[in-house]
Amino acid sequence: MQLSLTQPSSWILLLLVTNLFLWKNVASVPFCAMRNVRCFMFLEDMFDLAGSMSHNISIEVSEMFTEFEKHYAKVPGLKDKSLTRCHTTSLPIPENKEQAKHTHYGALLKSAHMVLKAWKSPLNDLVRQISTLKNIPDTIISKATDIKLKINSVEQGVNSIINRMLQNGDEERNYPAWSSLPIFKSNDEDASIRSFYGMISCLDNDCKKVDIYLNVLKCYVLQMDNC
C-alpha cells in the first residue's frame, strides 16, 4: 500500500511523546518522512507502530497482573473465576489468532478499537481507586498509570487508521457500558482486592486480543512471512 497521511494528527504526536518518555523497551519506528517541511506518514508505518505498541502494552499488563497476584496471593478466593465477569464479554470480536486471521481487515480494526475504547472509563477508575488498597506496591500504581496512557494513545491511533482506511470509518459504533463497581467503595478489603484482581485479569485477556488483532493486521499490511 502506498497510502500516506499528509498531516501529523494529534495521536501521532501523542504516540511520539509516549514513546520517548514511557516506552523504553520498544524499538524506534519512523513517524514520518519530511518533504518541504511537511510530514508524510505511510500507512505501513502506522500499522508497524500500532502493532509494536500493542505488544508492549500486553506485556506490561501481564507483568502488572502477575505482580498483583503474587502480592495478594493469601487473600481468600482470589482466583475464584466465578466472581469475575468482564464487561467486554458481549462484544462480537474474534477470540483467538485463528479467528482473527479469518476476519476481514476492516472488522478486525473495528474489533481492536471497540476493545480499547471499552476500557477508557474502567482504566480511569482503576488508576483512581487502586491506590486506596492497603499495602499496594508503588510499582503496580505506576504500571496502571502508564498502561492507561498507552491504551488511550493506541486507541486514538487505531481510530485514526479506521477513519482513513474505511469508507464508513466515521459511523457510530456502540461500546459496552461501564459503571464503577460498587465493591471499589467497600469496607471489605479482601473483597476490594478480589474485585481489582478480576478487573486486571479481564484487562490482561483483552490486551492480548488487541495485540493479536493489530499484529495480524501488521503482518497483512507489511506482507510479512510466518505471521
Side-chain angles (χ1 to χ4, degrees):
M1 296 183 184
Q2 293 301 318
L3 298 177
S4 64
L5 305 180
T6 57
Q7 294 182 353
S9 58
S10 59
W11 83 271
I12 298 175
L13 298 179
L14 179 59
L15 291 183
L16 177 56
V17 173
T18 302
N19 200 40
L20 288 175
F21 291 97
L22 299 175
W23 290 60
K24 299 179 180 179
N25 298 319
V26 178
S28 177
V29 178
F31 282 82
C32 61
M34 297 302 297
R35 300 177 186 173
N36 299 323
V37 199
R38 298 184 67 185
C39 179
F40 290 80
M41 185 169 185
F42 292 102
L43 195 60
E44 289 91 337
D45 293 332
M46 294 176 69
F47 275 103
D48 191 16
L49 179 59
S52 297
M53 294 183 77
S54 67
H55 188 62
N56 182 276
I57 290 172
S58 179
I59 291 173
E60 189 167 5
V61 173
S62 291
E63 290 174 349
M64 180 176 70
F65 179 54
T66 299
E67 185 176 355
F68 191 98
E69 185 176 69
K70 288 181 178 179
H71 187 72
Y72 293 110
K74 295 183 179 179
V75 172
L78 183 70
K79 299 180 182 180
D80 186 349
K81 294 183 179 180
S82 66
L83 301 176
T84 301
R85 176 172 172 78
C86 301
H87 75 291
T88 55
T89 301
S90 62
L91 288 177
I93 56 177
E95 291 296 321
N96 51 51
K97 185 175 182 179
E98 194 61 29
Q99 289 183 16
K101 289 170 70 174
H102 290 87
T103 301
H104 184 271
Y105 74 89
L108 204 53
L109 271 172
K110 291 180 181 179
S111 293
H113 188 255
M114 279 194 291
V115 175
L116 293 167
K117 188 75 172 180
W119 275 100
K120 187 170 184 178
S121 292
L123 281 171
N124 288 336
D125 285 343
L126 179 67
V127 170
R128 279 197 303 266
Q129 300 290 342
I130 200 168
S131 60
T132 65
L133 288 181
K134 185 178 180 180
N135 298 323
I136 184 74
D138 290 340
T139 51
I140 291 179
I141 297 174
S142 177
K143 278 188 173 70
T145 302
D146 283 355
I147 288 165
K148 172 193 161 186
L149 291 173
K150 294 171 185 178
I151 285 180
N152 287 345
S153 182
V154 174
E155 181 270 316
Q156 290 182 42
V158 172
N159 190 52
S160 181
I161 293 173
I162 288 173
N163 289 335
R164 285 160 173 77
M165 280 191 70
L166 306 180
Q167 291 182 350
N168 59 345
D170 58 352
E171 68 180 2
E172 184 177 350
R173 295 189 286 276
N174 295 320
Y175 305 96
W178 166 262
S179 58
S180 299
L181 297 178
I183 202 68
F184 283 169
K185 300 178 181 179
S186 172
N187 292 324
D188 186 338
E189 184 74 14
D190 285 351
S192 292
I193 290 170
R194 287 192 292 269
S195 178
F196 278 105
Y197 177 82
M199 186 178 182
I200 297 171
S201 173
C202 291
L203 178 63
D204 186 37
N205 289 332
D206 283 347
C207 284
K208 284 181 171 65
K209 290 179 183 177
V210 172
D211 183 32
I212 289 172
Y213 302 163
L214 293 182
N215 279 285
V216 165
L217 287 164
K218 175 180 173 180
C219 282
Y220 170 75
V221 172
L222 300 182
Q223 299 181 354
M224 300 169 62
D225 295 327
N226 301 320
C227 292

